[in-house]
Amino acid sequence: MLADERRQRVTAAMREAGIAHMVLYGNAWQGDYLRYGADFGILEGHGIALMSAAGDVELFLDSATEAERAEIEAPGVTVHFAPDITRVVGARLDRVANTRIGAAPRQFLPHWLTDATRGFKLDDATAVIDKLLMHKSAGEVAAVRRAAQIADEAYAEFLRAVRPGRRQFEIVADIEAHLRRRGCPDNFMILGSGGKDVFGMTPPSERRIAPGDLVTTELTPAVEGYFAQICRTLVVGKASKAQRRAFAVYVEALEAGIAAVRPGVRAGDVARAENDVFRKHGLGEYTTSQWTRVRGHGMGLFADSKPHILEDVDTVIEPGMTLIVHPNTYHPDAGYIVLGDAVVVTDRGVEVLCKTPRELFEVAA
């Protein structure tokens, strides 16, 4: 049902923009544009979908395995296995060269397809699809809401999995097994463990958990392709006074960021509300790109989508957007700390989807 709804939204947007055909690109890292129109979650290689304003979809894949899977998982879509995907798609576009063709995200497409010497022209329609990706329907919000519930449950499992001597990858393996048992097929997850020597989070390594460690994670499961994220920090053993003082700043910053989320404000306003808390405590340096990437971001068919919550982003926050607000950064007295909640923007303000307490958890050392 969500796939049909998405396709109808795309075709309506195409007609409004005067676009006869839409080219949607995706790869194993970012497949949300492709999935929005073709309803196929690509796992390897490259995929390009050609969608007409009437709703017909052709899907070109350069992986034989992916093409075989798409035949089963994407009913109603015409699938083509195309090892030389660029030239094959180009030949197909030559047949509709006399119509207006949009492309999203155009900057990700192979240069050969966007070269001005081609017989067809691909207009940049990224903003058209971005609007659909950011402004979710009630059904899409419901999927994110279910993913947030699973994220809460998975973090409870994370608390049980962390103990001294265990390696990072063993902990993540426990979470992946838990999620598969819950019927959740996808999860983006990074973590960190240690003290003031840790400056961020990474995919799991062989490092063993030790008493006194701060253990951080971004845990991001998906339901029907829609991701929701939770960010939390725990201590192995009893938290020190320095760790608790540091963590209190993050609680204050998260609360300020969520309080700033409402229709009509800009993404930069939310980031500024978070960062001002750090500046108030003399920690403004740690809000810069040297120490942190974003203060939150959109969620949906990609785990890290638009709008990015940064002070220089002027995207207007509107109802139907689903975001993660997280003042994740380094603290000089404690190390890298994370804290973040998934939210949905409503007509009247914001609803927090994560139910896990905002506390510095302690597990047995």
Side-chain angles (χ1 to χ4, degrees):
M1 292 176 64
L2 284 178
D4 291 340
E5 181 182 85
R6 289 196 300 262
R7 199 165 299 172
Q8 290 169 13
R9 294 181 78 196
V10 174
T11 55
M14 289 170 63
R15 289 191 293 270
E16 182 178 349
I19 296 172
H21 295 86
M22 182 74 77
V23 175
L24 301 169
Y25 173 79
N27 56 33
W29 167 241
Q30 185 167 359
D32 48 344
Y33 293 86
L34 180 72
R35 186 163 191 168
Y36 201 91
D39 193 35
F40 181 68
I42 189 169
L43 297 177
E44 62 179 37
H46 303 271
I48 299 175
L50 178 62
M51 187 172 184
S52 75
D56 299 319
V57 181
E58 294 181 73
L59 176 60
F60 301 83
L61 298 162
D62 63 4
S63 163
T65 303
E66 292 291 80
E68 183 177 348
R69 185 167 64 86
E71 291 279 4
I72 299 171
E73 297 184 7
V77 172
T78 302
V79 178
H80 305 279
F81 169 49
D84 190 355
I85 190 170
T86 301
R87 302 305 173 107
V88 172
V89 170
R92 180 65 183 85
L93 292 175
D94 279 333
R95 294 160 52 188
V96 293
N98 61 338
T99 66
R100 186 180 179 206
I101 309 171
R106 188 180 186 278
Q107 68 270 27
F108 288 1
L109 282 169
H111 177 70
W112 191 90
L113 288 174
T114 58
D115 191 292
T117 63
R118 299 276 77 80
F120 49 84
K121 178 186 176 185
L122 300 185
D123 292 337
D124 192 346
T126 305
V128 174
I129 304 301
D130 279 347
K131 184 176 181 180
L132 301 178
L133 288 168
M134 287 191 292
H135 301 83
K136 295 173 182 63
S137 68
E140 292 177 297
V141 170
V144 174
R145 193 186 305 277
R146 293 196 299 274
Q149 179 183 346
I150 291 175
D152 279 323
E153 295 169 0
Y155 190 75
E157 191 71 19
F158 186 81
L159 289 172
R160 289 188 285 269
V162 175
R163 58 181 183 269
R166 299 205 76 195
R167 291 171 289 190
Q168 289 184 357
F169 74 81
E170 293 175 318
I171 296 167
V172 173
D174 282 357
I175 303 309
E176 292 293 333
H178 166 79
L179 290 172
R180 295 305 185 274
R181 288 193 296 270
R182 290 282 284 110
C184 177
D186 202 358
N187 172 46
F188 171 79
M189 188 173 180
I190 51 178
L191 75 166
S193 62
K196 289 191 286 185
D197 58 321
V198 178
F199 297 94
M201 294 180 290
T202 65
S205 71
E206 294 191 2
R207 186 190 184 279
R208 293 185 184 274
I209 303 299
D213 277 357
L214 279 180
V215 183
T216 58
T217 190
E218 283 188 358
L219 204 163
T220 322
V223 169
E224 295 185 72
Y226 290 87
F227 290 90
Q229 188 171 96
I230 186 171
C231 304
R232 289 294 188 272
T233 300
L234 64 84
V235 178
V236 182
K238 291 294 182 182
S240 68
K241 290 182 179 179
Q243 289 170 331
R244 291 200 175 280
R245 281 197 302 270
F247 190 77
V249 176
Y250 292 77
V251 174
E252 184 180 347
L254 176 58
E255 290 175 349
I258 291 176
V261 177
R262 60 184 182 277
V265 305
R266 300 184 183 275
D269 298 325
V270 180
R272 194 170 299 107
E274 297 175 72
N275 291 341
D276 281 348
V277 172
F278 285 86
R279 295 182 185 115
K280 182 181 75 173
H281 290 280
L283 298 166
E285 171 188 354
Y286 300 98
T287 68
T288 65
S289 59
Q290 178 182 352
W291 299 98
T292 187
R293 188 177 66 87
V294 292
R295 315 307 271 161
H297 50 80
M299 301 178 304
L301 290 173
F302 184 47
D304 186 356
S305 59
K306 297 174 184 177
H308 292 117
I309 308 300
L310 289 166
E311 289 194 31
D312 61 354
V313 175
D314 61 3
T315 303
V316 176
I317 302 300
E318 297 181 1
M321 288 185 174
T322 51
L323 313 168
I324 173 78
V325 180
H326 60 47
N328 300 346
T329 191
Y330 186 78
H331 193 290
D333 297 332
Y336 196 81
I337 292 177
V338 309
L339 182 66
D341 282 341
V343 305
V344 57
V345 184
T346 68
D347 292 332
R348 292 179 291 180
V350 65
E351 176 190 351
V352 178
L353 301 180
C354 296
K355 306 303 180 186
T356 302
R358 297 170 189 164
E359 64 182 68
L360 182 58
F361 292 95
E362 296 174 336
V363 299

